Amino acid sequence: MQSTEQLTHTEQLTHQEHTTGFGHHTGRRRRWGHFVLHYLEMVAAMVVGMFVLGGVLRAVLAAMGVDYSMARAPELVILEMGFTMALGMAAWMRYRRHGWASILEMSAAMLVPAVAVLPPVWLDVLDSGTAMALEHVTMFPLMLAVMLRRRDEYAAAHGGSRRVVRMLGRGLFVLLAFLLVPAAVATAGSIGYERSRYTQPEATTTAAAAVAAARPLAHDASKPTAVVVVGSSGANIADTLVPYEVLATTGAFNVYTVAAERRPVPLLGGLDLVPDLSFAQLDQQLGGSAPDVTIVPDMPDSESSDAAVTAWLRDTASDGLLLSVCTGARLLAEAGLLDGRDATSHWFRLDELQQNHPEVNWQRGIRYIDDGDVISTGGLLSSVDGALRVVERLVDADAAAAAARAVGWESYSPGNAATLPRSQLAPADAITHLLNLGFRANVTTVGVVLTEGVGEIELASAFAPYAEVKSARTLAIAAHGDSVRSRHGLTFVPRADLAAASRVDRLLVPGAGIAASPAPDVAAAARRADVPMQYLHQQSGFAFDATLRDMARTMDVPTARWSAKILEYRTAELGMSGSGVPWMLGLSPLLFGLAGLAAALGTVRLARCRTRTRRS
């Protein structure tokens, strides 16, 4: 009979199983505990390999000047992920004294999904983001399958320093217990908030009455016609309302909002707009001609809505001047109207656009690009410059300068596009964004009071800064729940009346007019609900200045700066004051983590006590 020292590694494990009673119930439970712990160790080693080794590799390639990104080389990024995760796991397995056959099997479980998703990427069946997600999701069951194939090996204590392994196992348990609750809270919060961004309006009697009562401004055939197209699933509020008011304030255009059908549609943040005209009504009004200018804002991805909009852009609007705002360029690209052209968009989405539409010559660091019958702008507030360029071309430079003064836009660059800083997502931006999305947005609601004659940019300024960085929900409120008409004739439907003041954390009242002549019923509602109220536009200037200052004061400066960065707006002259570090926001995940850790440790202690009681 062989001694234990003469047995192979696998035979030793089997021998250990029989000699220690692992065949009994307690032994089986211990073995499966080892198995689960081993699986978690492998996941941790995989993550460490991805971040540490992957980070080193990317840093080296960046120092060599290699453009290494998902936009430029998605195949390399996908393979690099698989390779670095396999390498991290192989190193840990070797430390645990696994054999080379086991290490190669597990490495294959990392690399096979990476290789398998490449052909669909090459054939444009999968985009690179989906391919990478599929790669990661597939790895986990493959790891489990490999471990189950050699379950005796993975279910027993392994070589290496048992003390080190025990310490690492306990450390991993503590880490997972600490991260589990804040991760769950953040995930639930982010999912809930994302679903709320473009919630469709309810079919109420107020909405039906608003549609029936809404009338577009009288058409003047001597003026050029400009339309802002919105999708049936909604549109970005700043992209829609900012260029609308810039053109409307000149008095030189017939300006309308149009959609496939005339019913309330949500603007980002929960403000419901009644389009002035449907595509069919516009066609009838213009006698079958295209509008002189069509403005295309960002819209939420929707197959049916996108299909209706892109078809209309291609078949009708393309006969006039097109102005894409922010990621509205996506719709022009999908309609094939940017093929072979220079174009720009929001800095945060340019890599994705470049990847999905390589036929377009995407440009960075500029407010707008005028390419003849198509003008494209950077993100959000760059739409001011794009709209002013339209005024320059269809009216004159004096009218554009007057419009810039009227809306308080001090960055107007007559006759040419101003440059923009080449923005990138900084680590501080990412942390601020994740903290807001996970721990603030779903529990903070700002009520925005709609009043007659409010400016369109003023209205956008009360919603967009919060919605863009996902720092709070916004609720559109009107005094009696009735529809409201803006300064230049747009009709909006609120989602609540002033009784809803008790459901919000703050009330914001946009508009210079209402600030000059406050409405007593709004102040009374705020007092009854015991919530703070702020008239946003008590001072002259560009409407977004006041909101960003208010955001810095009531939330924190990093959130306000991140919002301005997303809006593509300057902050140096704003003089924002407030908390320089979001201390309270940062404490939320820490407290949730400590609560999760306490619960986990308490559960373990209780289980041990019960075990001791049974044994005694």
Side-chain angles (χ1 to χ4, degrees):
M1 182 175 177
Q2 290 177 302
S3 67
T4 303
E5 289 77 6
Q6 293 173 310
L7 298 176
T8 65
H9 179 67
T10 303
E11 289 170 337
Q12 286 183 32
L13 299 176
T14 305
H15 177 78
Q16 183 184 24
E17 173 188 339
H18 290 296
T19 58
T20 56
F22 278 7
H24 299 296
H25 177 73
T26 303
R28 285 198 303 271
R29 187 170 58 190
R30 187 179 304 156
R31 291 180 66 230
W32 283 112
H34 288 155
F35 187 92
V36 172
L37 179 60
H38 212 135
Y39 185 82
L40 294 175
E41 290 176 9
M42 305 288 259
V43 172
M46 176 180 74
V47 172
V48 170
M50 178 175 66
F51 284 106
V52 176
L53 299 178
V56 171
L57 179 60
R58 285 188 288 273
V60 170
L61 290 172
M64 296 170 59
V66 177
D67 188 354
Y68 189 54
S69 65
M70 283 291 285
R72 296 282 185 180
E75 299 90 345
L76 288 178
V77 175
I78 290 170
L79 288 173
E80 173 256 301
M81 289 282 187
F83 175 75
T84 54
M85 286 189 287
L87 195 59
M89 190 174 293
W92 179 248
M93 290 181 70
R94 194 58 192 155
Y95 172 78
R96 289 279 249 148
R97 297 185 183 176
H98 286 277
W100 287 109
S102 300
I103 293 173
L104 289 174
E105 282 180 354
M106 193 59 72
S107 299
M110 298 294 98
L111 293 172
V112 166
V115 174
V117 298
L118 293 182
V121 171
W122 293 330
L123 296 171
D124 289 330
V125 176
L126 289 178
D127 62 74
S128 57
T130 304
M132 181 170 286
L134 185 61
E135 172 193 7
H136 286 87
V137 169
T138 308
M139 285 177 179
F140 292 101
L142 283 179
M143 283 172 54
L144 183 61
V146 169
M147 291 178 67
L148 288 172
R149 182 175 178 275
R150 296 177 182 265
R151 56 184 173 274
D152 288 338
E153 178 177 342
Y154 289 99
H158 286 260
S161 170
R162 291 190 177 183
R163 185 177 179 183
V164 172
V165 172
R166 192 179 297 113
M167 289 176 62
L168 288 173
R170 288 174 178 173
L172 181 62
F173 172 80
V174 169
L175 179 64
L176 290 175
F178 181 79
L179 294 177
L180 182 62
V181 173
V185 171
T187 300
S190 61
I191 291 173
Y193 185 81
E194 288 292 345
R195 288 177 177 172
S196 73
R197 298 184 82 211
Y198 283 104
T199 304
Q200 289 294 310
E202 296 180 3
T204 62
T205 53
T206 300
V211 173
R215 293 287 183 271
L217 298 178
H219 187 77
D220 185 342
S222 66
K223 297 178 181 179
T225 296
V227 302
V228 183
V229 59
V230 294
S232 58
S233 296
N236 183 283
I237 188 167
D239 293 0
T240 302
L241 300 187
V242 171
Y244 178 94
E245 181 166 2
V246 171
L247 296 184
T249 198
T250 66
F253 295 86
N254 300 301
V255 192
Y256 306 115
T257 52
V258 298
E261 53 185 306
R262 195 165 179 266
R263 61 175 177 78
V265 295
L267 300 181
L268 178 64
L271 178 62
D272 298 330
L273 166 73
V274 179
D276 292 316
L277 300 166
S278 67
F279 290 158
Q281 290 170 328
L282 177 68
D283 183 70
Q284 183 179 9
Q285 180 136 290
L286 299 181
S289 299
D292 298 279
V293 184
T294 297
I295 300 167
V296 186
D298 177 41
M299 303 178 200
D301 290 345
S302 166
E303 187 174 345
S304 59
S305 177
D306 289 356
V309 170
T310 54
W312 182 78
L313 291 173
R314 187 170 45 246
D315 299 339
T316 302
S318 59
D319 290 337
L321 175 62
L322 296 171
L323 171 64
S324 71
V325 175
C326 193
T327 320
R330 171 184 69 88
L331 293 160
L332 290 188
E334 290 179 359
L337 299 174
L338 294 181
D339 290 1
R341 292 178 178 271
D342 291 340
T344 192
S345 185
H346 195 286
W347 63 267
F348 191 77
R349 299 287 295 275
L350 271 172
D351 283 346
E352 179 184 350
L353 289 168
Q354 197 165 35
Q355 175 189 334
N356 293 337
H357 300 284
E359 65 279 2
V360 183
N361 303 318
W362 298 104
Q363 305 293 320
R364 298 175 182 272
I366 194 165
R367 284 283 184 189
Y368 67 84
I369 291 178
D370 186 341
D371 195 41
D373 54 355
V374 176
I375 300 173
S376 56
T377 79
L380 298 148
L381 297 184
S382 291
S383 63
V384 178
D385 292 284
L388 291 172
R389 180 58 177 166
V390 170
V391 178
E392 288 177 346
R393 285 185 47 177
L394 274 65
V395 187
D396 56 44
D398 290 341
R405 289 192 298 272
V407 300
W409 188 250
E410 297 179 357
S411 302
Y412 174 47
S413 177
N416 57 74
T419 57
L420 283 171
R422 289 177 172 258
S423 297
Q424 292 183 330
L425 180 67
D429 300 331
I431 292 170
T432 300
H433 188 80
L434 292 174
L435 287 174
N436 274 298
L437 176 59
F439 301 99
R440 177 184 274 163
N442 217 34
V443 295
T444 306
T445 302
V446 176
V448 180
V449 181
L450 314 184
T451 55
E452 288 291 326
V454 64
E456 291 81 11
I457 297 179
E458 292 172 338
L459 201 50
S461 75
F463 287 88
Y466 299 98
E468 290 296 340
V469 298
K470 305 171 185 177
S471 62
R473 293 174 182 261
T474 42
L475 176 66
I477 297 172
H480 304 290
D482 298 327
S483 62
V484 169
R485 199 162 173 87
S486 69
R487 180 179 299 159
H488 297 101
L490 291 180
T491 300
F492 298 99
V493 182
R495 296 199 173 184
D497 58 22
L498 283 174
S502 59
R503 306 195 330 246
V504 304
D505 299 284
R506 300 183 66 231
L507 278 177
L508 295 183
V509 188
I514 191 69
S517 301
D521 53 350
V522 177
R527 285 194 300 272
R528 285 194 300 272
D530 193 25
V531 295
M533 182 189 70
Q534 177 69 37
Y535 288 101
L536 273 179
H537 301 112
Q538 300 180 67
Q539 299 178 356
S540 60
F542 189 60
F544 279 75
D545 294 355
T547 311
L548 291 170
R549 291 193 191 101
D550 183 74
M551 177 181 277
R553 180 178 59 83
T554 59
M555 289 186 167
D556 53 79
V557 172
T559 296
R561 290 193 182 280
W562 171 231
S563 183
K565 187 174 182 178
I566 286 290
L567 292 166
E568 293 195 348
Y569 191 55
R570 55 170 178 75
T571 58
E573 300 86 1
L574 290 182
M576 293 188 293
S577 61
S579 175
V581 178
W583 294 112
M584 296 306 297
L585 186 59
L587 280 175
S588 296
L590 176 62
L591 294 175
F592 279 119
L594 291 174
L597 181 59
L601 293 175
T603 302
V604 170
R605 186 169 183 81
L606 181 62
R608 286 179 176 175
C609 290
R610 288 181 175 177
T611 301
R612 288 171 186 159
T613 302
R614 283 197 299 268
R615 287 177 178 174
S616 61

